[in-house]
Amino acid sequence: MKRGPLLYMDQRRFSLKIILTAIILNHGYAGVSYADVFRLVDDLGIVHLTNVPVDHGYQIMLHSPRCTPGDSKPKASDLLHGKKPYNKIVARAAREHNLDKALLQAIITVESGYNPRAVSSEGAAGLMQLMPATAQRYGVIDRYDPEENIQAGARYLRDLINQFHDDLPLALAAYNAGEDAVVHYGNTIPPFPETRQYVPRVLNLYRRYRSNSP
């Protein structure tokens, strides 16, 4: 939850020095995120930078300096083809909370890129980016522990799905922006750019993961 926006830069207008400065400020130097940074140049020459690659064309550009050597960090191709770490934990949490494991996989991909040490600028942490209040609500002791994090994130998602009467887009919007924001805007997706981008990204990945499931 609450991740920083992707960066989009026009290669024809920005120098490499400026691009690298933006990456460092947004990802490494200020400690905003523990995720790697991936780069894609499209047909129009636009440079796309993200810490959650969802296309084969992305190439690693910057390794996070704050990830420990023991962290498990899958390749972009592994994420796309469903060869993801923590599958047993995800599958167990999905069964226990009556969720599709592909949905949890999609959320983890968008939230943290499967980096268990990821931290957002707002303080969300771990694979499913739990805020401190959410972690406390579900009895999480260590937000960086994959099992605790995934179990709590799955419970929270199930509660949101129940709260919004099985309306998955609203539940995902609430996961990103908070349930109070969704209620405040009349049980609609809040008009926040991040949330408006987050919901379709998760749903698109969810469909792709479901289609790749055995």
Side-chain angles (χ1 to χ4, degrees), residues 104-115:
L104 291 182
Q105 291 167 345
I107 291 174
I108 294 170
T109 301
V110 173
E111 289 287 349
S112 66
Y114 270 86
N115 179 3

mmCIF file with all atom_site columns, all heavy atoms in Angstrom, residues 104-115:
data_model
loop_
_atom_site.group_PDB
_atom_site.id
_atom_site.type_symbol
_atom_site.label_atom_id
_atom_site.label_alt_id
_atom_site.label_comp_id
_atom_site.label_asym_id
_atom_site.label_entity_id
_atom_site.label_seq_id
_atom_site.pdbx_PDB_ins_code
_atom_site.Cartn_x
_atom_site.Cartn_y
_atom_site.Cartn_z
_atom_site.occupancy
_atom_site.B_iso_or_equiv
_atom_site.pdbx_formal_charge
_atom_site.auth_seq_id
_atom_site.auth_comp_id
_atom_site.auth_asym_id
_atom_site.auth_atom_id
_atom_site.pdbx_PDB_model_num
ATOM 1  N N   . LEU A 1 104 ? -3.511 -12.738 -4.650 1.00 0.00 ? 104 LEU A N   1
ATOM 2  C CA  . LEU A 1 104 ? -2.458 -12.371 -3.704 1.00 0.00 ? 104 LEU A CA  1
ATOM 3  C C   . LEU A 1 104 ? -1.131 -12.167 -4.422 1.00 0.00 ? 104 LEU A C   1
ATOM 4  O O   . LEU A 1 104 ? -0.373 -11.242 -4.110 1.00 0.00 ? 104 LEU A O   1
ATOM 5  C CB  . LEU A 1 104 ? -2.317 -13.447 -2.627 1.00 0.00 ? 104 LEU A CB  1
ATOM 6  C CG  . LEU A 1 104 ? -3.469 -13.592 -1.633 1.00 0.00 ? 104 LEU A CG  1
ATOM 7  C CD1 . LEU A 1 104 ? -3.140 -14.676 -0.603 1.00 0.00 ? 104 LEU A CD1 1
ATOM 8  C CD2 . LEU A 1 104 ? -3.769 -12.276 -0.945 1.00 0.00 ? 104 LEU A CD2 1
ATOM 9  N N   . GLN A 1 105 ? -0.840 -13.026 -5.385 1.00 0.00 ? 105 GLN A N   1
ATOM 10 C CA  . GLN A 1 105 ? 0.396  -12.880 -6.153 1.00 0.00 ? 105 GLN A CA  1
ATOM 11 C C   . GLN A 1 105 ? 0.433  -11.539 -6.886 1.00 0.00 ? 105 GLN A C   1
ATOM 12 O O   . GLN A 1 105 ? 1.472  -10.870 -6.933 1.00 0.00 ? 105 GLN A O   1
ATOM 13 C CB  . GLN A 1 105 ? 0.529  -14.041 -7.136 1.00 0.00 ? 105 GLN A CB  1
ATOM 14 C CG  . GLN A 1 105 ? 0.798  -15.374 -6.459 1.00 0.00 ? 105 GLN A CG  1
ATOM 15 C CD  . GLN A 1 105 ? 0.617  -16.555 -7.405 1.00 0.00 ? 105 GLN A CD  1
ATOM 16 O OE1 . GLN A 1 105 ? 0.027  -16.419 -8.478 1.00 0.00 ? 105 GLN A OE1 1
ATOM 17 N NE2 . GLN A 1 105 ? 1.136  -17.708 -7.023 1.00 0.00 ? 105 GLN A NE2 1
ATOM 18 N N   . ALA A 1 106 ? -0.695 -11.147 -7.449 1.00 0.00 ? 106 ALA A N   1
ATOM 19 C CA  . ALA A 1 106 ? -0.758 -9.884  -8.183 1.00 0.00 ? 106 ALA A CA  1
ATOM 20 C C   . ALA A 1 106 ? -0.543 -8.703  -7.244 1.00 0.00 ? 106 ALA A C   1
ATOM 21 O O   . ALA A 1 106 ? 0.189  -7.755  -7.570 1.00 0.00 ? 106 ALA A O   1
ATOM 22 C CB  . ALA A 1 106 ? -2.108 -9.756  -8.894 1.00 0.00 ? 106 ALA A CB  1
ATOM 23 N N   . ILE A 1 107 ? -1.162 -8.753  -6.081 1.00 0.00 ? 107 ILE A N   1
ATOM 24 C CA  . ILE A 1 107 ? -1.008 -7.656  -5.118 1.00 0.00 ? 107 ILE A CA  1
ATOM 25 C C   . ILE A 1 107 ? 0.433  -7.557  -4.648 1.00 0.00 ? 107 ILE A C   1
ATOM 26 O O   . ILE A 1 107 ? 1.006  -6.458  -4.569 1.00 0.00 ? 107 ILE A O   1
ATOM 27 C CB  . ILE A 1 107 ? -1.965 -7.856  -3.924 1.00 0.00 ? 107 ILE A CB  1
ATOM 28 C CG1 . ILE A 1 107 ? -3.410 -7.662  -4.378 1.00 0.00 ? 107 ILE A CG1 1
ATOM 29 C CG2 . ILE A 1 107 ? -1.627 -6.892  -2.788 1.00 0.00 ? 107 ILE A CG2 1
ATOM 30 C CD1 . ILE A 1 107 ? -4.434 -7.979  -3.314 1.00 0.00 ? 107 ILE A CD1 1
ATOM 31 N N   . ILE A 1 108 ? 1.050  -8.689  -4.341 1.00 0.00 ? 108 ILE A N   1
ATOM 32 C CA  . ILE A 1 108 ? 2.440  -8.672  -3.880 1.00 0.00 ? 108 ILE A CA  1
ATOM 33 C C   . ILE A 1 108 ? 3.352  -8.119  -4.961 1.00 0.00 ? 108 ILE A C   1
ATOM 34 O O   . ILE A 1 108 ? 4.283  -7.346  -4.686 1.00 0.00 ? 108 ILE A O   1
ATOM 35 C CB  . ILE A 1 108 ? 2.882  -10.083 -3.444 1.00 0.00 ? 108 ILE A CB  1
ATOM 36 C CG1 . ILE A 1 108 ? 2.096  -10.532 -2.207 1.00 0.00 ? 108 ILE A CG1 1
ATOM 37 C CG2 . ILE A 1 108 ? 4.383  -10.115 -3.150 1.00 0.00 ? 108 ILE A CG2 1
ATOM 38 C CD1 . ILE A 1 108 ? 2.291  -11.985 -1.845 1.00 0.00 ? 108 ILE A CD1 1
ATOM 39 N N   . THR A 1 109 ? 3.101  -8.503  -6.207 1.00 0.00 ? 109 THR A N   1
ATOM 40 C CA  . THR A 1 109 ? 3.923  -8.005  -7.307 1.00 0.00 ? 109 THR A CA  1
ATOM 41 C C   . THR A 1 109 ? 3.855  -6.488  -7.411 1.00 0.00 ? 109 THR A C   1
ATOM 42 O O   . THR A 1 109 ? 4.871  -5.808  -7.530 1.00 0.00 ? 109 THR A O   1
ATOM 43 C CB  . THR A 1 109 ? 3.483  -8.637  -8.632 1.00 0.00 ? 109 THR A CB  1
ATOM 44 O OG1 . THR A 1 109 ? 3.597  -10.058 -8.550 1.00 0.00 ? 109 THR A OG1 1
ATOM 45 C CG2 . THR A 1 109 ? 4.352  -8.146  -9.791 1.00 0.00 ? 109 THR A CG2 1
ATOM 46 N N   . VAL A 1 110 ? 2.636  -5.946  -7.360 1.00 0.00 ? 110 VAL A N   1
ATOM 47 C CA  . VAL A 1 110 ? 2.459  -4.499  -7.490 1.00 0.00 ? 110 VAL A CA  1
ATOM 48 C C   . VAL A 1 110 ? 2.946  -3.766  -6.243 1.00 0.00 ? 110 VAL A C   1
ATOM 49 O O   . VAL A 1 110 ? 3.555  -2.700  -6.335 1.00 0.00 ? 110 VAL A O   1
ATOM 50 C CB  . VAL A 1 110 ? 0.982  -4.159  -7.781 1.00 0.00 ? 110 VAL A CB  1
ATOM 51 C CG1 . VAL A 1 110 ? 0.755  -2.653  -7.756 1.00 0.00 ? 110 VAL A CG1 1
ATOM 52 C CG2 . VAL A 1 110 ? 0.567  -4.729  -9.130 1.00 0.00 ? 110 VAL A CG2 1
ATOM 53 N N   . GLU A 1 111 ? 2.688  -4.348  -5.081 1.00 0.00 ? 111 GLU A N   1
ATOM 54 C CA  . GLU A 1 111 ? 3.044  -3.669  -3.835 1.00 0.00 ? 111 GLU A CA  1
ATOM 55 C C   . GLU A 1 111 ? 4.547  -3.613  -3.605 1.00 0.00 ? 111 GLU A C   1
ATOM 56 O O   . GLU A 1 111 ? 5.086  -2.574  -3.219 1.00 0.00 ? 111 GLU A O   1
ATOM 57 C CB  . GLU A 1 111 ? 2.380  -4.384  -2.641 1.00 0.00 ? 111 GLU A CB  1
ATOM 58 C CG  . GLU A 1 111 ? 0.878  -4.205  -2.548 1.00 0.00 ? 111 GLU A CG  1
ATOM 59 C CD  . GLU A 1 111 ? 0.482  -2.807  -2.104 1.00 0.00 ? 111 GLU A CD  1
ATOM 60 O OE1 . GLU A 1 111 ? 1.367  -2.046  -1.673 1.00 0.00 ? 111 GLU A OE1 1
ATOM 61 O OE2 . GLU A 1 111 ? -0.711 -2.473  -2.195 1.00 0.00 ? 111 GLU A OE2 1
ATOM 62 N N   . SER A 1 112 ? 5.230  -4.728  -3.816 1.00 0.00 ? 112 SER A N   1
ATOM 63 C CA  . SER A 1 112 ? 6.639  -4.789  -3.396 1.00 0.00 ? 112 SER A CA  1
ATOM 64 C C   . SER A 1 112 ? 7.562  -5.433  -4.418 1.00 0.00 ? 112 SER A C   1
ATOM 65 O O   . SER A 1 112 ? 8.774  -5.486  -4.178 1.00 0.00 ? 112 SER A O   1
ATOM 66 C CB  . SER A 1 112 ? 6.750  -5.580  -2.084 1.00 0.00 ? 112 SER A CB  1
ATOM 67 O OG  . SER A 1 112 ? 6.386  -6.952  -2.290 1.00 0.00 ? 112 SER A OG  1
ATOM 68 N N   . GLY A 1 113 ? 7.016  -5.939  -5.522 1.00 0.00 ? 113 GLY A N   1
ATOM 69 C CA  . GLY A 1 113 ? 7.867  -6.662  -6.462 1.00 0.00 ? 113 GLY A CA  1
ATOM 70 C C   . GLY A 1 113 ? 8.498  -7.894  -5.841 1.00 0.00 ? 113 GLY A C   1
ATOM 71 O O   . GLY A 1 113 ? 9.575  -8.325  -6.227 1.00 0.00 ? 113 GLY A O   1
ATOM 72 N N   . TYR A 1 114 ? 7.820  -8.473  -4.856 1.00 0.00 ? 114 TYR A N   1
ATOM 73 C CA  . TYR A 1 114 ? 8.298  -9.654  -4.124 1.00 0.00 ? 114 TYR A CA  1
ATOM 74 C C   . TYR A 1 114 ? 9.599  -9.379  -3.364 1.00 0.00 ? 114 TYR A C   1
ATOM 75 O O   . TYR A 1 114 ? 10.400 -10.278 -3.146 1.00 0.00 ? 114 TYR A O   1
ATOM 76 C CB  . TYR A 1 114 ? 8.448  -10.849 -5.059 1.00 0.00 ? 114 TYR A CB  1
ATOM 77 C CG  . TYR A 1 114 ? 7.183  -11.673 -5.146 1.00 0.00 ? 114 TYR A CG  1
ATOM 78 C CD1 . TYR A 1 114 ? 6.166  -11.346 -6.046 1.00 0.00 ? 114 TYR A CD1 1
ATOM 79 C CD2 . TYR A 1 114 ? 6.971  -12.771 -4.310 1.00 0.00 ? 114 TYR A CD2 1
ATOM 80 C CE1 . TYR A 1 114 ? 4.997  -12.073 -6.114 1.00 0.00 ? 114 TYR A CE1 1
ATOM 81 C CE2 . TYR A 1 114 ? 5.810  -13.502 -4.377 1.00 0.00 ? 114 TYR A CE2 1
ATOM 82 C CZ  . TYR A 1 114 ? 4.825  -13.152 -5.275 1.00 0.00 ? 114 TYR A CZ  1
ATOM 83 O OH  . TYR A 1 114 ? 3.669  -13.870 -5.327 1.00 0.00 ? 114 TYR A OH  1
ATOM 84 N N   . ASN A 1 115 ? 9.788  -8.153  -2.948 1.00 0.00 ? 115 ASN A N   1
ATOM 85 C CA  . ASN A 1 115 ? 10.927 -7.801  -2.100 1.00 0.00 ? 115 ASN A CA  1
ATOM 86 C C   . ASN A 1 115 ? 10.435 -7.716  -0.661 1.00 0.00 ? 115 ASN A C   1
ATOM 87 O O   . ASN A 1 115 ? 9.710  -6.782  -0.306 1.00 0.00 ? 115 ASN A O   1
ATOM 88 C CB  . ASN A 1 115 ? 11.522 -6.461  -2.539 1.00 0.00 ? 115 ASN A CB  1
ATOM 89 C CG  . ASN A 1 115 ? 12.702 -6.034  -1.664 1.00 0.00 ? 115 ASN A CG  1
ATOM 90 O OD1 . ASN A 1 115 ? 13.121 -6.753  -0.770 1.00 0.00 ? 115 ASN A OD1 1
ATOM 91 N ND2 . ASN A 1 115 ? 13.221 -4.859  -1.934 1.00 0.00 ? 115 ASN A ND2 1
#
